[in-house]
Amino acid sequence: VSAFLLNRSSDLLNWLLAMPSGVNQEQLTFDDKGWLVEIKYPDWTIRYDSFQELNGIVLPRKILILGQSFRLTLVTNRLEIVS
């Protein structure tokens, strides 16, 4: 999993914010509210299972990254804006 993340480190922040770059519209799945719930890549998938609000901004709370040989779950319990 660490090699996977190191190879994708430039995309990690975009995934954490549910703002992917460099993907085709066909790779994206949205729910009935218009929120991104899945990004499909050839060998793995990112799934956004729940969201939370911070100062009027909706952000992912639970993210699953599923590959052929791994499953990584990221969950945020507390978010804050630091200036």
Side-chain angles (χ1 to χ4, degrees):
V1 172
S2 61
F4 169 82
L5 290 177
L6 286 175
N7 292 334
R8 305 283 185 212
S9 62
S10 62
D11 294 323
L12 188 57
L13 179 60
N14 290 333
W15 295 337
L16 293 174
L17 297 173
M19 297 174 51
S21 61
V23 296
N24 297 322
Q25 191 68 25
E26 297 81 31
Q27 294 173 264
L28 306 176
T29 304
F30 296 89
D31 67 9
D32 58 348
K33 296 177 185 175
W35 295 350
L36 180 63
V37 293
E38 190 172 79
I39 308 168
K40 289 190 179 198
Y41 293 92
D43 295 325
W44 46 281
T45 300
I46 297 176
R47 189 175 307 145
Y48 298 96
D49 280 355
S50 64
F51 293 85
Q52 60 192 334
E53 186 177 331
L54 175 65
N55 294 342
I57 301 169
V58 177
L59 297 169
R61 182 183 173 281
K62 183 176 181 183
I63 303 168
L64 282 93
I65 302 175
L66 307 164
Q68 294 176 352
S69 62
F70 69 90
R71 175 187 175 124
L72 175 64
T73 303
L74 304 169
V75 179
T76 56
N77 291 318
R78 182 173 156 235
L79 291 174
E80 63 182 74
I81 296 175
V82 179
S83 55

